[in-house]
């Protein structure tokens, strides 16, 4: 399947020894996006970053920066953007991963209400916090916009939160999909898209359409499940034309803001379903060969 150019989807949103003792351990349209508002650790509101629907690649982000920056890149390059994507890793399904596919974690010794990050010093070397520059970007796929926030760390940097929980990586996770941090010290766990502790794979629950959702003006579709446009030949394509949009091939996941109708065949024919939210896997909806056309408006 040929790789396509991807449309920017800003329109989709209106708006070693490793010391673990310090970490609780013993040895993962056309409208411009609205800036995200969050409450920092001092209780003040700040315009910390811009949230954009889709992945870094589908938004044409610099793939030598952000989550994909090389280890030797300066901090200001690494903090240009962050990606949060609902996915599966090891026995964890769902779990949130970053732009490079690494598992993101939450720490039981932190607090979510209010958000407070307590992993500092040597702990933060083992569990690098997910930080973003003020005014940077956060790309989200399969994660609710209102679940994403920010907290000011003790060193003044801005850490991304999910349902109030500060997000971290684990230094011993060396390959995308590793989950070596799961359960460390009985306090570290992969985090689900709704901020809960990730656990073994469970049978996916098909999403239900929210009543009264406004018609979607655009959508991004992914050839892989879990909004995957980086593995192998997987790619994403954007659509923003009112009416029936035929797709070249079957697409297994999608991000969307509003209501749209998906179809199993081109020409908006065959099996159909209404979706009003991001869908990480369309197969439980009855689309084993993927979505082949979408009606917008």
């Amino acid at each position: 399947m040929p790789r396509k150019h991807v449309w920017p989807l800003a329109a989709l949103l209106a708006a070693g020894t490793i010391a673990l003792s310090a970490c609780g351990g013993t040895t993962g349209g056309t409208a411009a996006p609205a800036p995200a508002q969050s409450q920092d650790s001092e209780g003040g509101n700040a315009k910390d970053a811009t949230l954009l629907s889709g992945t870094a690649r589908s938004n044409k982000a610099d793939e030598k920066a952000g989550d994909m920056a090389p280890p030797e890149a300066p901090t200001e390059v690494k903090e240009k953007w962050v990606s949060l994507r609902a996915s599966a890793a090891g026995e964890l399904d769902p779990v949130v991963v970053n732009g490079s596919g690494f598992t993101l974690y939450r720490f039981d010794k932190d607090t979510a209400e209010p958000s407070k990050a307590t992993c500092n010093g040597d702990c933060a070397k083992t569990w690098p916090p997910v930080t973003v520059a003020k005014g940077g970007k956060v790309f989200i796929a399969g994660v609710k916009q209102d679940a994403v926030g920010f907290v000011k760390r003790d060193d003044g940097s801005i850490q991304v939160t999910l349902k109030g929980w500060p997000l971290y990586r684990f230094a011993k996770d060396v390959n995308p999909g590793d989950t070596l941090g799961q359960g460390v010290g009985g306090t570290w766990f992969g985090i689900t898209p709704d901020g809960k502790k990730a656990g073994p794979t469970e049978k996916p629950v098909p999403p239900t359409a929210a009543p009264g959702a406004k018609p979607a003006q655009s959508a991004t579709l992914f050839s892989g499940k879990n909004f995957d446009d980086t593995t192998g030949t997987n790619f994403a394509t954007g659509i923003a034309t009112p009416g029936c949009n035929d797709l070249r091939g079957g697409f297994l996941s999608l991000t969307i803001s509003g209501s749209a109708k998906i179809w199993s065949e081109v020409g908006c024919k065959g099996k159909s379903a209404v979706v009003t939210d991001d869908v990480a896997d369309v197969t439980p909806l009855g689309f084993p060969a993927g979505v082949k056309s979408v009606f917008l408006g």
Side-chain angles (χ1 to χ4, degrees):
M1 183 181 296
R3 191 177 290 269
K4 296 184 180 180
H5 292 292
V6 180
W7 296 13
L9 278 232
L12 283 176
L13 289 182
T17 300
I18 298 177
L20 293 178
S21 59
C23 314
T26 56
T27 30
T30 53
Q37 300 283 340
S38 69
Q39 191 174 56
D40 66 21
S41 60
E42 297 176 351
N45 288 324
K47 293 181 178 179
D48 291 322
T50 300
L51 304 185
L52 297 172
S53 179
T55 62
R57 177 167 288 177
S58 72
N59 279 280
K60 292 187 175 179
D62 181 357
E63 295 187 19
K64 294 183 180 180
D67 291 338
M68 296 182 180
E72 65 274 12
T75 299
E76 58 267 26
V77 172
K78 294 179 179 179
E79 292 187 340
K80 283 186 176 180
W81 58 263
V82 170
S83 180
L84 307 180
R85 176 168 64 91
S87 186
E91 294 185 350
L92 307 182
D93 185 6
V95 71
V96 178
V97 301
N98 71 5
S100 294
F102 284 95
T103 303
L104 300 183
Y105 297 89
R106 50 172 277 181
F107 183 32
D108 281 356
K109 294 185 180 180
D110 287 346
T111 59
E113 296 181 3
S115 295
K116 176 62 178 176
T118 62
C119 178
N120 297 288
D122 287 342
C123 177
K125 294 177 182 178
T126 303
W127 302 91
V130 177
T131 56
V132 64
K134 198 172 187 68
K137 298 177 181 179
V138 180
F139 304 110
I140 56 175
V143 175
K144 298 284 190 180
Q145 179 182 4
D146 60 8
V148 181
F150 309 89
V151 64
K152 187 180 293 185
R153 292 180 53 78
D154 288 355
D155 63 3
S157 61
I158 300 170
Q159 186 167 359
V160 183
T161 66
L162 188 54
K163 281 293 185 179
W165 290 101
L167 298 177
Y168 302 85
R169 274 201 54 207
F170 183 43
K172 283 191 173 181
D173 284 350
V174 295
N175 297 305
D178 284 351
T179 58
L180 298 178
Q182 177 70 2
V184 169
T187 56
W188 290 93
F189 299 90
I191 190 166
T192 68
D194 57 1
K196 297 178 181 179
K197 298 177 185 180
T201 302
E202 297 180 2
K203 184 178 180 179
V205 178
T208 57
K214 294 182 179 180
Q217 302 300 310
S218 55
T220 302
L221 296 103
F222 301 82
S223 60
K225 297 178 182 179
N226 296 315
F227 320 103
D228 185 0
D229 58 359
T230 58
T231 304
T233 59
N234 286 337
F235 67 100
T237 187
I239 58 173
T241 303
C244 186
N245 293 260
D246 285 342
L247 307 170
R248 297 180 62 183
F251 290 79
L252 297 176
S253 58
L254 60 95
T255 60
I256 197 165
S257 180
S259 174
K261 202 166 190 178
I262 57 176
W263 300 80
S264 62
E265 304 296 336
V266 297
C268 292
K269 297 178 180 179
K271 180 179 177 60
S272 66
V274 175
V275 295
T276 58
D277 205 351
D278 296 356
V279 182
D281 182 5
V282 299
T283 54
L285 298 180
F287 293 79
V291 176
K292 297 183 179 179
S293 57
V294 180
F295 191 95
L296 296 177

